[in-house]
Amino acid sequence: QVQVVESGGGSVQSGGSLRLSCVVSGYTVESICVGWLRQAPGADTGADREGAVPGGDREGVAALKADGYTTYGGSVKGRFTISRDSAKNTVYLQMNNLQPEDTATYYCAVDPRSDMCTVLLHAGMGFRHWGRGTQVTVSP
């Protein structure tokens, strides 16, 4: 059974940093696509998060392919870094210089189709397994 569990969210002031963690079980993180996506307050939650159902207003933040290739959403480039620790089967999202517009629920999502990683991230949907999310709040 695949499980995806996020942690590390919290409240910070503008300019601060947080590191989110995503612990995966059921896959090894080196063999899959792992993505971080976020949903801002008031955004349309859409339908089933596990399926490729349109309507969910989730923004792709960062993704890490099996081969180590990383991709980022335009609004976070240069500020956020995705990485993995294979020994812990965990993927991290280091977030620096946080701004109020980064306030959102952050979801970790995984999919065995690593070759689809960039497409899934920018679509904001289609990942096969999702975590429950962790809240990040940035105050001015």
Side-chain angles (χ1 to χ4, degrees):
Q1 184 177 358
V2 178
Q3 289 188 318
V4 180
V5 180
E6 308 97 333
S7 63
S11 297
V12 297
Q13 291 189 320
S14 180
S17 298
L18 284 173
R19 188 178 77 160
L20 306 183
S21 299
C22 173
V23 179
V24 179
S25 58
Y27 290 116
T28 58
V29 295
E30 287 184 322
S31 66
I32 58 173
C33 168
V34 181
W36 285 98
L37 300 93
R38 66 187 181 186
Q39 192 154 34
D44 177 12
T45 59
D48 180 8
R49 290 182 295 158
E50 300 248 351
V53 179
D57 193 9
R58 293 177 292 273
E59 177 188 5
V61 175
L64 179 56
K65 293 177 64 176
D67 63 4
Y69 181 82
T70 58
T71 188
Y72 295 92
S75 63
V76 307
K77 282 182 180 177
R79 300 188 298 126
F80 291 11
T81 303
I82 188 170
S83 63
R84 66 190 176 203
D85 183 332
S86 300
K88 296 181 179 179
N89 217 42
T90 299
V91 172
Y92 302 100
L93 184 68
Q94 177 67 43
M95 305 186 295
N96 297 329
N97 191 24
L98 283 160
Q99 301 299 313
E101 53 266 34
D102 295 317
T103 294
T105 301
Y106 283 72
Y107 297 94
C108 182
V110 306
D111 196 286
R113 300 168 295 172
S114 184
D115 57 335
M116 293 287 293
C117 207
T118 300
V119 172
L120 294 174
L121 181 74
H122 293 304
M125 64 180 70
F127 285 87
R128 199 154 295 173
H129 306 280
W130 293 77
R132 292 184 176 274
T134 185
Q135 179 66 37
V136 171
T137 302
V138 185
S139 57

